[in-house]
Amino acid sequence: MKRACVIGWPVQHSRSPLIHRYWLKLHGLEGAYEKEAVPPAEIDAFLRSLGERGYVGANVTLPHKEAAFAAADQADKAATAMGAANTLWLDAEGRLQASNTDAYGFITHLNQQAPDWNRDRRPVVVLGAGGAARAILRGLLDGGASNIVLSNRSRDRAEALAEILGGRVAVVPWEDRDKALAGCGLLVNATSLGMTGKPPLDLCLAALPADAIVADIVYSPLVTSLLEAARARGNPTVDGLGMLLHQAVPGFERWFGLRPEVTPELRAYVAANLAEA
Ligand code: NDP
């Protein structure tokens, strides 16, 4: 029986088992997907012994994505661009392979929910400069965005990210984030603000065009205060759950040999679990 897992510290909150076990059951596959809580001091040894532990591969979540990239024998273009991996598998020779599917997950969901997001090439405003923001900026650039405005509380982090991305991203100070919304076609919250247990995102939407799309990558709660405010003024919205579901697809295919689909039924199943939390 093929076994995969999600590795994190902590890992209890991870919804990945819910998603992969749903697909295993749906397709009648013999397989298992487990949670592995691995402290930072033990991550290298754990990854080196993944095969001995009976795993064909793994997802990797905070804080181990950079360590997973560093431990891999080979990394694909997406993981190399990010310097971080969220999907690992052992190839036929037993070498540890790494990918990063976060950018893919974000852009696939955005293209499905709002296929016209880049039609008139208006600026895209991204808030946040952490690991998730980096994936989102990659996804947006790969998806054709030509004009991205980035704002983050710690400006140096935003500047560093803009530099890595090669000058196609303009940084505006965090204090000016409200003004930056004027004329934009897509706003993405890639900070952790709005997440359960964190303060809400302090943002005034007055300058945001009425038809601009508002996306939030926070998925707990599913409807954040940002998405609520956007809906109240009639802006189309895209929530964070789709990214989570789509980023899981390539890993499942690698480990279990079948490309699963993100269906409304899977979405409802995971959303119900989020609502219980
Ligand atoms: P990081 O810790 O790497 O980054 C956090 C970001 O939030 C930084 O930009 C940080 O700014 C900002 N931030 C945190 N607190 C504040 C505050 N009080 N005021 C202003 N800015 C703040 O986290 P990640 O990038 O990994 O994750 C961010 C969010 O994205 C999380 O909520 C996570 O759950 C979600 N996520 C969703 C995914 C999905 O599939 N939908 C996938 C991955 C993540 P600063 O740099 O100044 O500290």
Side-chain angles (χ1 to χ4, degrees), residues 128-132 152-154 157 191-193 195 217 219 240 243-244:
N152 188 53
R153 176 181 59 176
S154 311
R157 226 174 157 193
T191 73
S192 48
L193 295 171
M195 195 174 143
I217 66 155
Y219 56 81
M243 175 179 176
L244 181 75

Side-chain angles (χ1 to χ4, degrees), residues 16 31-32 42 47 104 120 152 178 227 251:
S16 290
E42 292 168 25
L47 292 174
Y104 163 84
D120 45 17
N152 188 53
D178 295 348
L227 296 185

Side-chain angles (χ1 to χ4, degrees), residues 30-114:
E30 278 246 358
Y33 189 97
E34 286 150 33
K35 282 183 189 174
E36 290 281 4
V38 180
E42 292 168 25
I43 186 65
D44 291 337
F46 187 95
L47 292 174
R48 269 198 305 277
S49 61
L50 202 61
E52 289 158 39
R53 291 169 187 272
Y55 290 120
V56 294
N59 282 128
V60 183
T61 187
L62 292 178
H64 296 319
K65 290 185 181 184
E66 283 84 8
F69 172 70
D73 296 308
Q74 274 184 332
D76 70 3
K77 208 174 135 204
T80 306
M82 298 277 299
N86 73 343
T87 304
L88 301 172
W89 68 98
L90 290 161
D91 68 14
E93 282 78 43
R95 285 174 308 192
L96 190 62
Q97 301 284 341
S99 182
N100 193 312
T101 64
D102 282 336
Y104 163 84
F106 174 75
I107 202 71
T108 303
H109 181 55
L110 180 65
N111 282 334
Q112 281 183 4
Q113 294 298 300

